[in-house]
Amino acid sequence: MTDTVRIVQLYPVELGITGDRGNVRALQVRLERAGVPVDVVRVGIGEALPADADIIVLGNGPLSAMRIVADDLRARAAELEKFVEAGRSLFAIGASAELLSEGVDLLDGEILDGLGLFPFRVARTRDRNVGYIIADAPFGRVIGFEDHASRWTLGPQAEAAGTVVAGKGSFSLDGAAGEIVRRGESYASNVQGPALPLNPQWSDAILTAVTARRGIAWSAGDAHTHLNEYADGARAAIEHLVHSKDFSTIGL
Amino acid sequence: MMTGAPQARSAGIRYVFPVLAGKLARFATRLRGGGSAFPGYLTNRLAPTLLPTLAGQFRYGVVFVLGSNGKTTTTHMISEVLRAHGLTVFTNPTGANLPQGVTSALLADATLTGRIRADVAVLEIDEGYAADLADRLSPSVILSLNVQVDQLYRFYETERVADMMLEASKRATGHVIVNRDDPYLSKIDTSAMRGEVSFFGVSPELVAASAHGLANAADTRSGNAGILDHDAFAEVVSARGRDVVVRVDGVDAEITLPARGLHYAADAAAALTVASRVLGPDFTVESAAKGFAQMAPAYGRGEVIPLRRDPAGEQVEFVMFKNAPSLQMNLDALEGAPERALIAIDEGTPDVSWLYDVDFDVVKRIDVVTGEKAYQLALSLEHAGVEIGVVEPDMEKAVALMRALEPAASGRQTWFVNYELMMIGRRLLGHGDQEIARR
Ligand SMILES: [Zn+2]
């Protein structure tokens, strides 16, 4: 029992529009196939976060959903700050990443206050970034799909984790485009796909940190062959598409 | 540039040149095997009043069918039910649901002087263009089927799709018909509508008994994620496989659906509401049932095709899906795990994140995973615990692999496909890609 890893999906109903359950599933399946028991807890508005959560996964949703969860999320600010500060793992995509930033400047001038968990600010834009994205990160090449109308401006302490190789990305980085902001073992990004099934090396970076902190023996092995093989195939197909001459992202 | 053109809605000699030009362009693009948008564009440029003129000639008016899922099937259902009541129906071919496509389809049926001979037009319309087309075609009835998480890369936010449907609905001159079981649509502001609002739905008992309900998008805007209660003009009260009973204005219609699935039953209730509103007192449940009986399965919806060109041999059942809700509803309607299965998605569906929202529990094994998205599909199935035979992105090779399998005891394979790969699959099985089975 003590070896059970607890994964929380926060606001699965409101912020789960881009298959975000898949990020939970990837972490869960990779642990279970190595024999590590997993407990997945779905936490909604007004429900308590389990005190012993190891990983918190948050997903994407429309602006209306951001407004609906915003107060509840802000009420958890201190708890989440402690969680991230303690080096636990949090994984936020899209709308949830925006809410965990310092704030979101909407097109009509309205400001949506963030939790300040990550040191960046979001500006919603008229232009939308849609298509495949490839970014190189210390834990490997990240491949996925981006679909967001926002630009992030990183604060001085922000740690950018990925340099964009193809696609638009979420922010500027040394004259190029960047993707993924990291703080300790927590990540904020706009990579959909969902990101973790498509990027086993990113999943494993998270799981290595979690299991090391918990003192649980874990490693990817034969039981992960299919998962890795299909991810490789999917990644190769996307890279091939992106690099083929006549590929023009999405016909909008 | 044609602002001086008369606005009268009568057809006449001034349309001969634009209609002829459009028809010639249509002929030319067909020879090239190209799309059908250009002729419509050309004609709209040459005679902007032609479209309203054509639309104004339908004695029973123009019906718009909107929705994230089920437009084609429901358009087909409405058309057949109206035909069974003796009406001549004009309808647009599948996929020709953008303005230029609709114009092009109308053009094909129009005489050179801009006359059209049908009693009613039943048109599936893309949500993004519904209000614009309503301004030009003045529909008498606008039906909105459902709002589902779909095409986010195009519409960004699901609630915008609901707003587009309801905004267009304001333009219906006679009737607005919406899904009572759709969270966003159930919150329609009836006072903002010119037309009378009617609801259709599925009985709460049937929804509760369905593994994943009706899979419409939750309302993340109003604070009430669920539906508002409304009495349904037409309600599905019983569903057994393809046999369903829909209570229409107090009278039971016993009908046979083109394919299994509660979503098709809901579409049928929608179609019956439309037909009843269009026909008024001339509507009968007996004729309606006849309409459903005459309905050849639309492509990919319960259609069965021989696997090896032998009509007496093993068959392929096509199950078509376009998004998570339609795939889920089709899976929920399966009678047990399929014995032999293929699943396919092509690059026309760029973001397949939604695959992880589908509950694949009922499918134990997929023999061949194919299409340009084969590996992404396989990845999601592997995460769902579904056993996979082979991943083969090439559809032609995939079909060969399915043909090489030992024959199923059930005599049937199940192929889950998106629209484009369904057409390719049919062709590979020797069923050419003739136009959709709509008259
Ligand atoms: Zn496997």
Side-chain angles (χ1 to χ4, degrees):
Chain A
M1 268 314 274
T2 53
D3 269 3
T4 299
V5 170
R6 182 150 293 154
I7 306 176
V8 171
Q9 187 180 3
L10 190 52
Y11 310 128
V13 175
E14 296 82 5
L15 299 179
I17 206 165
T18 45
D20 302 282
R21 182 170 82 158
N23 288 323
V24 175
R25 186 76 56 77
L27 297 167
Q28 177 186 6
V29 170
R30 292 184 83 76
L31 284 168
E32 285 175 348
R33 291 201 181 177
V36 179
V38 177
D39 181 28
V40 174
V41 187
R42 289 158 56 96
V43 175
I45 293 171
E47 294 172 354
L49 279 167
D52 54 354
D54 294 296
I55 311 173
I56 298 176
V57 175
L58 298 107
N60 200 4
L63 192 54
S64 60
M66 289 170 72
R67 292 187 206 277
I68 276 187
V69 304
D71 284 341
D72 187 85
L73 187 62
R74 284 183 202 118
R76 303 177 195 268
E79 192 180 4
L80 290 173
E81 171 62 32
K82 220 173 95 190
F83 183 90
V84 171
E85 185 59 35
R88 300 209 181 187
S89 297
L90 180 144
F91 189 83
I93 296 296
S96 63
E98 295 190 359
L99 282 174
L100 295 179
S101 78
E102 282 157 5
V104 187
D105 300 318
L106 301 176
L107 282 173
D108 61 3
E110 193 197 337
I111 293 171
L112 214 57
D113 287 330
L115 273 71
L117 212 64
F118 288 99
F120 65 87
R121 199 167 175 85
V122 180
R124 283 294 179 97
T125 57
R126 252 166 240 295
D127 287 340
R128 202 163 176 87
N129 309 295
V130 187
Y132 293 110
I133 177 163
I134 303 177
D136 282 334
F139 45 83
R141 173 159 281 197
V142 172
I143 295 183
F145 195 86
E146 62 180 338
D147 183 1
H148 59 101
S150 68
R151 293 313 295 166
W152 296 2
T153 305
L154 305 200
Q157 334 82 295
E159 178 188 346
T163 306
V164 174
V165 177
K168 303 278 174 53
S170 298
F171 49 86
S172 308
L173 181 65
D174 307 329
E179 182 58 58
I180 308 169
V181 170
R182 178 173 186 171
R183 180 180 162 204
E185 293 304 328
S186 294
Y187 301 89
S189 103
N190 273 314
V191 181
Q192 299 173 198
L196 293 182
L198 266 174
N199 296 279
Q201 70 297 347
W202 197 355
S203 297
D204 289 355
I206 294 170
L207 294 178
T208 301
V210 168
T211 50
R213 189 180 60 77
R214 290 282 311 278
I216 299 168
W218 177 85
S219 68
D222 288 350
H224 300 80
T225 307
H226 278 146
L227 293 169
N228 295 348
E229 187 184 305
Y230 299 147
D232 284 348
R235 294 161 62 82
I238 292 171
E239 288 221 56
H240 179 80
L241 262 176
V242 167
H243 293 128
S244 67
K245 270 204 306 285
D246 43 330
F247 181 71
S248 58
T249 64
I250 310 304
L252 282 171
Chain B
M1 77 244 76
M2 304 271 303
T3 45
Q7 294 300 308
R9 299 187 87 176
S10 63
I13 196 81
R14 68 181 180 284
Y15 292 123
V16 171
F17 173 65
V19 172
L20 190 61
K23 279 181 182 284
L24 283 173
R26 192 166 190 275
F27 179 66
T29 49
R30 292 225 147 182
L31 280 184
R32 273 200 349 246
S36 59
F38 179 67
Y41 168 79
L42 182 67
T43 311
N44 279 343
R45 283 292 297 262
L46 294 173
T49 57
L50 178 63
L51 204 53
T53 301
L54 292 176
Q57 296 174 49
F58 297 104
R59 207 151 48 93
Y60 286 84
V62 173
V63 176
F64 275 18
V65 179
L66 317 178
S68 299
N69 190 46
K71 284 195 283 280
T72 300
T73 304
T74 309
T75 300
H76 193 186
M77 287 175 176
I78 296 168
S79 301
E80 288 305 327
V81 170
L82 293 177
R83 281 180 184 125
H85 284 84
L87 268 58
T88 306
V89 179
F90 170 84
T91 183
N92 54 337
T94 298
N97 57 15
L98 304 179
Q100 313 302 357
V102 172
T103 310
S104 203
L106 279 164
L107 199 57
D109 265 39
T111 65
L112 285 182
T113 51
R115 295 198 185 280
I116 203 150
R117 290 181 204 90
D119 300 315
V120 63
V122 184
L123 306 172
E124 68 161 278
I125 302 289
D126 181 276
E127 293 70 56
Y129 299 90
D132 172 49
L133 269 173
D135 285 336
R136 288 194 269 162
L137 296 174
S138 309
S140 47
V141 178
I142 297 186
L143 162 67
S144 296
L145 289 169
N146 46 45
V147 179
Q148 297 179 342
V149 177
D150 184 39
Q151 299 199 69
L152 288 178
Y153 61 89
R154 210 182 133 210
F155 295 124
Y156 314 158
E157 304 195 344
T158 304
E159 64 234 46
R160 276 182 58 171
V161 179
D163 291 342
M164 287 190 272
M165 292 182 199
L166 294 174
E167 181 57 36
S169 295
K170 288 183 191 164
R171 291 153 171 85
T173 54
H175 292 273
V176 172
I177 296 165
V178 296
N179 189 344
R180 183 256 323 256
D181 301 319
D182 184 281
Y184 282 116
L185 296 177
S186 76
K187 286 156 198 155
I188 183 173
D189 174 7
T190 53
S191 69
M193 301 294 146
R194 283 165 73 190
E196 185 187 347
V197 176
S198 312
F199 296 92
F200 67 92
V202 175
S203 80
E205 295 75 28
L206 287 174
V207 176
S210 160
H212 299 87
L214 289 164
N216 296 321
D219 173 358
T220 55
R221 177 165 60 185
S222 71
N224 170 13
I227 63 168
L228 281 188
D229 228 18
H230 294 286
D231 286 332
F233 179 82
E235 184 179 58
V236 181
V237 292
S238 145
R240 282 199 181 82
R242 290 171 56 196
D243 297 319
V244 305
V245 179
V246 184
R247 191 159 295 157
V248 188
D249 204 9
V251 184
D252 283 359
E254 293 177 26
I255 56 165
T256 304
L257 299 175
R260 292 185 306 266
L262 206 52
H263 54 321
Y264 292 125
D267 292 344
L272 290 166
T273 305
V274 170
S276 178
R277 289 314 196 186
V278 166
L279 293 160
D282 293 340
F283 173 85
T284 68
V285 291
E286 291 77 18
S287 295
K290 224 175 287 166
F292 276 92
Q294 281 164 8
M295 205 179 148
Y299 282 2
R301 296 156 189 90
E303 192 185 32
V304 166
I305 290 177
L307 174 64
R308 300 178 186 88
R309 293 181 190 257
D310 172 10
E314 207 172 348
Q315 304 289 308
V316 174
E317 181 182 1
F318 281 93
V319 177
M320 199 185 86
F321 64 91
K322 68 173 286 216
N323 57 16
S326 64
L327 180 51
Q328 190 69 69
M329 296 305 288
N330 284 321
L331 293 174
D332 290 356
L334 289 175
E335 286 154 355
E339 199 182 344
R340 299 268 185 281
L342 169 147
I343 189 164
I345 303 185
D346 73 348
E347 196 52 40
T349 305
D351 179 15
V352 289
S353 297
W354 51 267
L355 281 171
Y356 290 84
D357 286 328
V358 177
D359 182 352
F360 284 99
D361 283 357
V362 51
V363 185
K364 305 294 173 224
R365 179 187 159 86
I366 300 272
D367 297 283
V368 178
V369 182
T370 185
E372 288 156 310
K373 290 277 187 199
Y375 279 100
Q376 282 199 67
L377 246 175
L379 187 61
S380 67
L381 291 169
E382 181 72 23
H383 280 88
V386 177
E387 188 186 325
I388 293 169
V390 189
V391 183
E392 172 48 71
D394 185 303
M395 183 75 173
E396 200 167 341
K397 290 178 186 160
V399 169
L401 288 168
M402 290 305 284
R403 278 181 162 158
L405 291 176
E406 205 161 295
S410 60
R412 182 168 288 202
Q413 297 192 346
T414 309
W415 292 14
F416 303 93
V417 285
N418 68 351
Y419 180 81
E420 288 73 16
L421 288 175
M422 185 260 303
M423 297 303 279
I424 291 170
R426 282 177 54 87
R427 188 163 43 73
L428 291 169
L429 292 180
H431 281 240
D433 44 6
Q434 58 262 55
E435 288 247 312
I436 183 92
R438 266 203 226 148
R439 283 177 288 156

